[in-house]
Amino acid sequence: MIKVFFQASRITNLGIGIVCSLVTFLKVPNDNFLSFLIGTLIVFLLMVASNLTNDIYDIKSDKVNKPCRPLVKYPGLKKSFQILALLSFFASTLLSIFISQIIFLIVLFSVPVLFFYTPILKGVPLLGNIMVSFYLGFVFIFIEICVSGDVSVMILPALFAFGISLIREIIKDVEDYSGDKLAKIKTLPVYIGVKKTIYISCFFMILFLLFCGSLIFFKNNFYYNISVFFLVFMPIFYLIFFLVKDPTSKACFRASALLKKITILGLIIIYII
């Protein structure tokens, strides 16, 4: 049972969230370790709750897209998933009270947004992708507010995380095209087609590369420049070439896997920025 819940919680994604929190704590001057721990726990709980909620609402599409998902294999666990998701949302809100009023308000606003993402926002082309990407990037700013009460150091890292996440979310929607179409979820590829969505994702990749390249002129950091070239520019140039040559859902499966690796490697770059 515990293994099933961990699987539904997306261990890799939870790990990325925790590392984002740790990177922020190491980069922001502070001595507020307790607020860092509580803030990281809040991030963890919100991610668990949103992932479980996503599985609850996505059973129909997951039967096609991801037949190995826990609720597809064990539909009897739906009630347990609902209880655990609600408890996680409640616990995150309760914990936020112990940090500050602004953190409490952020969490209080985020809970309904994350809860209604799958049944409402996911079906709005591009808006759902932007929302998910925003929250991944916002982890850096959220933890910075937790430990310092201010926002200054982690703005660029947040933008970096937002950019790479938005690209990956769009590619994932193409990957999940068949199940989402069957479930009548109006994601971008369902709304405008697979090829057009892939070309849009390539356009966003170019914009993201321009953003990373622009930082070279503002940051005279040899390690940053080398890291960006090998860990971001080369893989994304390859992705653009690969997807333009083969603009299909099947190709996006491989592209999504590579983008997840780029996201993880990007944490190294974020630490250097």
Side-chain angles (χ1 to χ4, degrees):
M1 181 70 73
I2 295 176
K3 183 180 178 181
V4 172
F5 282 120
F6 271 109
Q7 183 183 352
S9 299
R10 323 282 202 277
I11 294 299
T12 303
N13 292 346
L14 292 177
I16 291 174
I18 292 172
V19 173
C20 289
S21 300
L22 181 60
V23 168
T24 304
F25 180 72
L26 294 174
K27 286 187 66 67
V28 176
N30 73 92
D31 56 358
N32 201 342
F33 187 66
L34 180 59
S35 291
F36 159 69
L37 287 179
I38 297 174
T40 302
L41 183 56
I42 291 172
V43 169
F44 178 88
L45 289 170
L46 288 176
M47 290 182 74
V48 168
S50 58
N51 287 333
L52 293 178
T53 304
N54 182 69
D55 274 11
I56 292 167
Y57 284 108
D58 265 356
I59 295 175
K60 187 174 181 179
S61 61
D62 282 344
K63 287 180 180 178
V64 177
N65 295 330
K66 298 176 177 67
C68 291
R69 282 277 168 86
L71 283 185
V72 176
K73 297 171 67 176
Y74 312 105
L77 291 176
K78 183 177 179 180
K79 188 70 174 180
S80 299
F81 273 46
Q82 291 172 332
I83 293 172
L84 186 57
L86 289 173
L87 286 174
S88 297
F89 277 131
F90 176 75
S92 62
T93 307
L94 185 63
L95 285 170
S96 66
I97 297 173
F98 296 98
I99 300 180
S100 67
Q101 186 178 16
I102 184 65
I103 291 297
F104 171 71
L105 292 174
I106 289 171
V107 174
L108 191 64
F109 173 79
S110 298
V111 166
V113 173
L114 294 172
F115 182 81
F116 289 110
Y117 160 71
T118 304
I120 298 177
L121 296 178
K122 185 177 179 180
V124 181
L126 205 57
L127 179 61
N129 307 121
I130 292 172
M131 194 279 289
V132 172
S133 306
F134 168 80
Y135 271 104
L136 179 62
F138 192 70
V139 169
F140 295 100
I141 293 176
F142 179 78
I143 297 298
E144 183 176 10
I145 296 173
C146 284
V147 299
S148 70
D150 193 15
V151 181
S152 57
V153 179
M154 302 309 294
I155 294 175
L156 284 179
L159 290 173
F160 182 96
F162 170 80
I164 194 67
S165 180
L166 179 59
I167 295 166
R168 183 168 178 264
E169 288 301 317
I170 295 173
I171 292 296
K172 280 172 61 183
D173 277 353
V174 179
E175 182 187 349
D176 293 341
Y177 169 78
S178 298
D180 289 342
K181 185 178 181 180
L182 179 67
K184 297 181 180 179
I185 301 172
K186 293 288 185 178
T187 58
L188 192 61
V190 173
Y191 190 72
I192 67 172
V194 168
K195 283 190 177 182
K196 288 181 181 178
T197 303
I198 288 176
Y199 294 148
I200 288 174
S201 71
C202 291
F203 173 71
F204 280 128
M205 289 184 206
I206 293 170
L207 291 180
F208 180 69
L209 291 178
L210 289 174
F211 166 72
C212 294
S214 67
L215 295 181
I216 293 174
F217 297 100
F218 296 101
K219 289 186 172 291
N220 186 21
N221 189 321
F222 174 78
Y223 297 106
Y224 168 77
N225 298 343
I226 293 296
S227 298
V228 166
F229 181 77
F230 285 105
L231 301 181
V232 177
F233 274 67
M234 289 184 66
I236 290 184
F237 272 128
Y238 166 76
L239 268 183
I240 293 173
F241 172 79
F242 174 69
L243 290 173
V244 170
K245 185 178 178 181
D246 184 22
T248 62
S249 295
K250 186 177 180 180
C252 285
F253 177 79
R254 293 174 58 188
S256 178
L258 179 57
L259 281 166
K260 178 170 266 190
K261 294 174 183 176
I262 295 173
T263 302
I264 295 171
L265 292 172
L267 291 171
I268 299 172
I269 297 173
I270 288 172
Y271 183 72
I272 295 172
I273 292 178

